Amino acid sequence: MNNEKRFYITTPIYYVNDIPHIGHAYTTTACDTISRYKRMKGYDVFFLTGTDEHGQKIQAAAEAKGETPQQLVDRIHQTFRDLCKLLNASNDDFIRTTEDRHIRAVQAIFSKLIEKGDIYKGTYSGYYCVPDETYVPENAMGPNKTCPDCGRPLTIMEEESYFFRASKYVPQLIEYYETHLKAVMPETRYNEIMSFLKGGVRDQSVSRTTLKWGIPVPGDEKHVIYVWFDALVNYVTAAGYLDDPEKFARWWPHVRHMVGKDIIRFHCVTWPLLLIAMGVNVPVEIFAHGWWTVDGEKMSKTRKNVVDPFKIVKEYGLDPFRYFMMREVPFGNDGDFSELALVGRINSDLANDLGNLLNRTHRMIQSYRGGVVPKCTDAKSELSAMSVNVLERVDRAMNDYAFDEALKTIWEFIGRANKFIDETMPWKLAKDESQAERLDFVLLNLYEALRLSAMLVAPVMPETSQRIWKQLGIQEDPTKSQYDAFTWGDGAGMTLGESEVLFPRIDIEEWKKSKEEKKLQEEAAAQAAIEHEEEISIDAFKTVEMRVARITKCEEIPKSKKLYKLEVDLGYEKRTVCSGIKAFFTPEELEGRTIILVTNLKPVKLCGVESNGMILCASVKKDGVSEQLTLLTPEDKDIPLGSRVS
Ligand code: MSP
């Protein structure tokens, strides 16, 4: 195969601290779409996806669930494999960062860069976002020293650390980007990255001593390799960097990454700088897509609006979901997911435009020509002329990852074919013997328009394209066919297969009614699930003494996974309290917080420490385990310590 016609595409590897949502489904579907398209254009494609299984987030999630990190990653990574299957993703490999092949590659690269002097040992002190596992430079902090990405409070952290000499290679990367204007796409992201690079990049901390769940630094096992260094390397591991140099030479020069806009600095700055240090080429293209909101709101567990791809596919089918994701928003922009919009697309684009063209054409060839596609001497028409232009425009759009543009172009063609029926009125031609040749011409053209449309939608809707070809009487799998081999008119003489409805129309009123009913049922079920305590008198309530206090010190209790030992100040006295909130806060996040303390509980000994009170928290529990937890704090932080809560 021609060396130029290779295409290596990757999704980010997904964190396994939680189950998949539409954001994950989106990148996988986009990579699958481009992979399938390129294969149909004659490219040799390698499509990689996988899971990111180390780091603080995973360790904390495992602790919260009472599992070991290994148990958690083994369990949750499977749901990401299931997602690939659900989405009909044609990935060629699925990498897990806990696999031996990967651990060896990460350690080999780390050692190589130490040897080269590009990784060195130093001390790091800075503002750190624990949930995002990233240090935040002071000039990038949000208001009140918060993380600019997630808005949560930053913690000062100091640790011995290995550093990657990123600064050394910045000029080389700037020069590369200056001569490769499409290396980062879309253009806004390119500009963002260039100005970031030109602002200067500091050497980057690439190890941690604060956690255990990671790949050990070779020869210095007190450190684990920073999760982002570990994660980015997956792209070279799977391409055979360490174990298969031939494979690596085959794929690496053709690598493209597709990522969400939130992780472009890691991909467009850190990663290429590491690759330059490693002495291999930087990615050919990195495309950053936007984020989905849901019914206009940010997707979050608290809002309970996280879109579950498994549920959507079950309810609406896979291809409509894939079509919606690729069609609804320009790739690169943020977009809004709503089931109503999805239903709208199913009814108008799929059932109406595409479905009708197929039904009408199938029915007419069946009744006017006994189900055999007529031949004619010259099949050239305005549809065939348009098809040439459509193929070119689709190709341009696909090369720019403009999936929505490609689909709009295909739908223009489908619309034109539907109009062709209205204009040529085959039902009239059928009544007039002298128009037999004209009718042959019209029917063949419609058949060809469908045969091509099915091929064109194949990368986005592989199953649907097969269903269409089957109805057209073609046994071959369209997803395995080649665009360049398509010749207008070749369909003459084919015998149609059986007809079936592609996409049943959804009655919007019925749909709305059933959604409303479902919502009411869910609300009722949620109400019923709330466990209420027995009624008490106000006097009984008054016996609970609660006061405002401040946490002055927070320490680990060596024997306990869940508890912290807290020193609290009530203004009139200081106390020691044990609290099972370790999974949700670092000591730094707790020290200095004003809280509410139950002060008249009998002291108890917990893991050898006497606890004199209880901190009030609100939490969301699943199967008895807190999934989400927040401290109760007085609105006015200046209220004197010791104030009574009533
Ligand atoms: N593990 C890292 C990636 C390491 S790659 C070397 C990670 N994982 S993630 O699971 O948190 O996110 C994976 C991808 O999902 C990211 O590209 C992110 O942008 C994307 N999305 C997460 N939420 C999203 C939406 N609401 N909408 C669209 N994509 C979003 O980051």
Side-chain angles (χ1 to χ4, degrees):
M1 190 159 295
N2 177 354
N3 186 39
E4 288 310 304
K5 285 206 136 187
R6 280 195 197 128
F7 194 83
Y8 172 24
I9 183 89
T10 70
T11 71
I13 46 170
Y14 304 117
Y15 280 130
V16 290
N17 57 336
D18 215 338
I19 52 171
H21 57 60
I22 187 193
H24 308 118
Y26 189 42
T27 333
T28 301
T29 303
C31 286
D32 187 54
T33 297
I34 192 71
S35 295
R36 288 174 180 277
Y37 180 76
K38 289 286 172 184
R39 289 191 198 104
M40 291 176 72
K41 281 297 276 184
Y43 280 73
D44 202 2
V45 172
F46 183 48
F47 166 18
L48 174 72
T49 186
T51 41
D52 191 351
E53 304 190 356
H54 288 127
Q56 182 67 34
K57 274 189 204 212
I58 313 289
Q59 188 171 302
E63 271 167 25
K65 298 257 188 245
E67 283 175 297
T68 64
Q70 190 64 52
Q71 281 169 335
L72 177 99
V73 300
D74 285 345
R75 184 168 59 81
I76 300 197
H77 104 276
Q78 189 55 46
T79 61
F80 283 89
R81 282 194 196 271
D82 294 345
L83 178 71
C84 282
K85 216 164 155 200
L86 175 88
L87 295 172
N88 196 1
S90 58
N91 54 303
D92 299 285
D93 197 352
F94 186 104
I95 187 165
R96 301 179 61 186
T97 53
T98 49
E99 282 173 60
D100 178 59
R101 59 170 170 164
H102 179 67
I103 294 170
R104 283 186 295 104
V106 170
Q107 290 187 325
I109 291 168
F110 206 91
S111 301
K112 180 177 170 166
L113 297 184
I114 288 183
E115 252 169 56
K116 259 188 95 184
D118 283 343
I119 288 184
Y120 61 91
K121 209 176 195 177
T123 314
Y124 195 89
S125 154
Y127 286 95
Y128 189 75
C129 176
V130 179
D132 287 353
E133 297 180 58
T134 182
Y135 281 99
V136 178
E138 287 192 31
N139 60 6
M141 288 193 301
N144 301 323
K145 302 199 165 101
T146 51
C147 172
D149 289 331
C150 70
R152 283 176 279 208
L154 297 169
T155 310
I156 292 196
M157 180 111 111
E158 188 162 297
E159 56 178 323
E160 181 186 89
S161 173
Y162 283 88
F163 285 85
F164 166 52
R165 221 178 277 286
S167 50
K168 180 173 157 190
Y169 297 107
V170 170
Q172 218 169 310
L173 185 58
I174 292 182
E175 199 187 314
Y176 177 81
Y177 283 156
E178 271 169 352
T179 49
H180 295 79
L181 302 179
K182 286 201 161 182
V184 176
M185 289 191 278
E187 204 183 334
T188 48
R189 302 293 168 203
Y190 175 91
N191 296 337
E192 195 181 315
I193 289 299
M194 280 307 258
S195 70
F196 179 76
L197 278 172
K198 286 179 181 165
V201 176
R202 282 199 275 173
D203 289 355
Q204 295 178 7
S205 160
V206 286
S207 77
R208 296 284 180 269
T209 50
T210 45
L211 86 156
K212 294 218 154 35
W213 184 242
I215 301 177
V217 167
D220 192 356
E221 314 239 318
K222 188 167 80 181
H223 291 257
V224 298
I225 294 170
Y226 176 45
V227 65
W228 269 100
F229 182 103
D230 164 353
L232 289 162
V233 167
N234 92 85
Y235 303 131
V236 294
T237 305
Y241 176 79
L242 194 63
D243 294 337
D244 192 345
E246 237 173 75
K247 180 177 177 188
F248 191 70
R250 180 177 169 74
W251 292 113
W252 193 252
H254 308 281
V255 65
R256 273 99 176 156
H257 301 307
M258 199 174 276
V259 297
K261 64 177 183 181
D262 54 319
I263 54 176
I264 55 167
R265 282 207 192 152
F266 289 112
H267 283 84
C268 305
V269 177
T270 312
W271 180 228
L273 293 171
L274 274 171
L275 289 166
I276 297 173
M278 283 160 64
V280 297
N281 64 278
V282 307
V284 183
E285 288 169 340
I286 303 164
F287 192 101
H289 65 70
W291 269 45
W292 286 99
T293 50
V294 177
D295 296 319
E297 292 197 328
K298 194 170 178 236
M299 199 162 59
S300 79
K301 269 193 173 176
T302 332
R303 289 200 179 96
K304 293 203 170 82
N305 65 351
V306 177
V307 177
D308 175 354
F310 291 90
K311 267 198 192 153
I312 297 291
V313 169
K314 193 165 172 216
E315 190 164 351
Y316 302 100
L318 173 63
D319 280 359
F321 178 49
R322 287 177 58 116
Y323 175 76
F324 178 83
M325 286 191 286
M326 295 296 98
R327 171 66 183 82
E328 190 68 4
V329 270
F331 204 57
N333 292 9
D334 290 340
D336 190 52
F337 183 89
S338 88
E339 284 185 46
L340 186 61
L342 169 60
V343 170
R345 290 263 171 225
I346 294 177
N347 281 347
S348 67
D349 303 8
L350 302 183
N352 211 29
D353 301 341
L354 181 59
N356 271 350
L357 178 64
L358 176 62
N359 283 346
R360 293 162 90 191
T361 306
H362 195 283
R363 202 170 345 112
M364 290 189 295
I365 297 177
Q366 201 68 53
S367 48
Y368 306 144
R369 292 294 179 261
V372 179
V373 184
K375 298 190 172 131
C376 70
T377 38
D378 186 0
K380 279 200 200 80
S381 66
E382 55 264 54
L383 283 182
S384 66
M386 186 177 180
S387 76
V388 177
N389 174 266
V390 164
L391 279 161
E392 275 169 22
R393 281 168 59 204
V394 167
D395 194 48
R396 228 173 302 138
M398 292 303 270
N399 287 334
D400 286 340
Y401 302 90
F403 304 114
D404 65 311
E405 274 302 320
L407 288 169
K408 270 188 226 161
T409 308
I410 300 166
W411 255 256
E412 268 175 39
F413 183 60
I414 292 170
R416 183 70 195 86
N418 269 321
K419 203 163 152 230
F420 186 76
I421 303 183
D422 304 336
E423 287 166 0
T424 54
M425 294 189 277
W427 51 92
K428 272 200 176 160
L429 301 175
K431 285 191 190 135
D432 183 352
E433 254 317 302
S434 70
Q435 295 290 341
E437 260 184 46
R438 169 89 180 138
L439 183 58
D440 286 348
F441 167 85
V442 168
L443 294 179
L444 175 59
N445 266 285
L446 287 171
Y447 182 90
E448 290 302 80
L450 264 169
R451 186 162 70 91
L452 181 62
S453 299
M455 256 180 104
L456 286 168
V457 300
V460 177
M461 299 194 286
E463 272 174 19
T464 303
S465 74
Q466 283 184 43
R467 285 171 66 203
I468 300 177
W469 270 28
K470 220 167 146 207
Q471 294 190 48
L472 295 181
I474 310 166
Q475 298 316 317
E476 201 192 330
D477 178 352
T479 68
K480 304 232 157 51
S481 64
Q482 293 288 308
Y483 289 114
D484 297 341
F486 183 89
T487 313
W488 194 272
D490 273 5
M494 293 294 297
T495 305
L496 294 185
E498 253 179 59
S499 124
E500 53 145 349
V501 177
L502 268 189
F503 300 102
R505 272 191 74 81
I506 300 172
D507 183 315
I508 295 270
E509 288 316 312
E510 284 290 315
W511 178 86
K512 279 189 183 155
K513 221 167 89 194
S514 88
K515 283 279 147 188
E516 215 32 63
E517 273 166 18
K518 210 163 149 208
K519 203 170 143 202
L520 289 175
Q521 276 169 8
E522 276 170 9
E523 278 168 8
Q527 274 290 334
I530 295 176
E531 286 171 19
H532 294 282
E533 302 292 342
E534 254 177 57
E535 213 170 65
I536 56 166
S537 69
I538 184 80
D539 291 334
F541 176 72
K542 277 185 185 160
T543 62
V544 182
E545 185 183 328
M546 292 176 282
R547 294 183 184 275
V548 174
R550 178 160 303 131
I551 301 174
T552 52
K553 198 166 163 198
C554 171
E555 288 174 43
E556 307 238 351
I557 300 177
K559 279 188 227 155
S560 173
K561 274 190 181 168
K562 294 188 179 154
L563 293 175
Y564 273 140
K565 177 181 166 191
L566 305 172
E567 298 296 325
V568 297
D569 185 358
L570 280 156
Y572 58 89
E573 71 171 67
K574 296 193 179 8
R575 289 188 183 194
T576 302
V577 170
C578 294
S579 182
I581 54 177
K582 194 168 161 184
F584 298 92
F585 304 97
T586 61
E588 291 81 2
E589 283 172 331
L590 290 172
E591 285 174 5
R593 298 285 292 271
T594 309
I595 45 102
I596 308 294
L597 188 76
V598 180
T599 50
N600 64 336
L601 279 176
K602 264 203 191 120
V604 281
K605 243 195 177 160
L606 297 169
C607 290
V609 180
E610 188 178 275
S611 179
N612 292 285
M614 188 177 82
I615 288 175
L616 292 188
C617 297
S619 67
V620 180
K621 289 192 177 168
K622 199 174 164 197
D623 305 328
V625 180
S626 295
E627 282 199 325
Q628 199 188 346
L629 184 140
T630 183
L631 293 174
L632 256 65
T633 60
E635 194 176 59
D636 176 0
K637 301 281 176 274
D638 294 329
I639 188 157
L641 297 181
S643 303
R644 183 87 195 253
V645 177
S646 55

